[in-house]
Amino acid sequence: MTQTERRLYLIRELLREQPRYAGITVPAGEREQKHLLRSLFNVRAPEPVSGEFLAVQDAYLQEETRRKGITDSAGLKPVREGVYLWQGDITTLRCDAIVNAANSRLLGCFAPCHECIDNAIHTFAGVQLRLACARQMERQGHPEETGKAKITPAFNLPCRYVLHTVGPIVRGPLTPEDRALLASCYRSCLELAGREGLQSVAFCCISTGEFHFPNEEAAAIALRTVEAFQAETQSKIKVIFNVFKEIDHRIYRQLLGAD
């Protein structure tokens, strides 16, 4: 199958699953097809799927990521001992684990083509990720608590695992509780990574997007928490601060003395 054939197969299979989508016409253009496919991935419930579908999906997603370009964390240079800064798409980073800024349902973002990191990670990991999260949440029996962390395989991402953490939602002036909960996200992920024997973890800018945590304060808390964890535990886990926006890149460079 070519990449176009895979994309069309996946679109038709996902449309076939849901009778309410029967009136949707598959667009002719590649860009429009990709938009439709991502939308269908995003809204799909965590339900079983055939082995044939997974084989085609996995081949498609892995090729898409290959075309975007994969960055191997082994080639990154530390800014400080055990601490790295990397600007780019976290779904293309090869390391032991990346951190997903999740919501309390832990099922990913259901908004079609939303620009949040939760949406991107679930899209390019494949439908298996939502299924894995759904199984964990069913066993847990209640929404994920803010500041905690869970681990799943990464499926079609170049990393091995995804650490899911729910950051605090800032609804007004920043509070001591907001700060403590954000610090807990970073510490919970590092503790979980340590228990799992992981050697590298890439953190996104937790809570700074849709959850409205001020970028500068969030970065300061992230760095402070990581440094305290490393000092207390003598952890050798490679910590990568992943930034996507230029504002966050500038903030972290200043905090790390990289300017």
Side-chain angles (χ1 to χ4, degrees), residues 85-149:
L85 177 63
W86 179 68
Q87 185 176 21
D89 178 354
I90 201 169
T91 67
T92 66
L93 183 62
R94 179 176 287 123
C95 59
D96 276 358
I98 62 172
V99 174
N100 179 30
N103 57 52
S104 61
R105 295 177 65 196
L106 226 67
L107 296 181
C109 173
F110 282 80
C113 295
H114 194 254
E115 294 184 354
C116 69
I117 193 167
D118 198 15
N119 187 294
I121 287 173
H122 272 266
T123 296
F124 291 101
V127 299
Q128 301 98 310
L129 183 56
R130 183 167 284 171
L131 284 162
C133 289
R135 286 192 291 269
Q136 287 206 32
M137 296 307 288
E138 185 177 0
R139 289 194 298 270
Q140 178 166 288
H142 60 80
E144 182 72 354
E145 296 177 47
T146 303
K148 305 296 184 183

Side-chain angles (χ1 to χ4, degrees), residues 167-241:
I169 301 173
V170 178
R171 295 187 170 90
L174 208 57
T175 66
E177 183 182 17
D178 293 330
R179 295 183 176 93
L181 286 171
L182 184 61
S184 180
C185 288
Y186 284 90
R187 189 168 191 98
S188 293
C189 287
L190 289 169
E191 289 173 346
L192 180 54
R195 291 195 299 272
E196 296 290 332
L198 306 186
Q199 297 182 9
S200 57
V201 173
F203 283 101
C204 63
C205 300
I206 302 166
S207 279
T208 59
E210 297 296 311
F211 287 7
H212 309 297
F213 209 106
N215 298 63
E216 290 188 7
E217 185 80 10
I221 291 169
L223 183 56
R224 200 159 55 236
T225 305
V226 167
E227 289 178 334
F229 180 85
Q230 291 175 328
E232 292 167 18
T233 66
Q234 303 304 307
S235 171
K236 299 301 181 184
I237 297 173
K238 177 192 293 187
V239 175
I240 304 159
F241 289 111

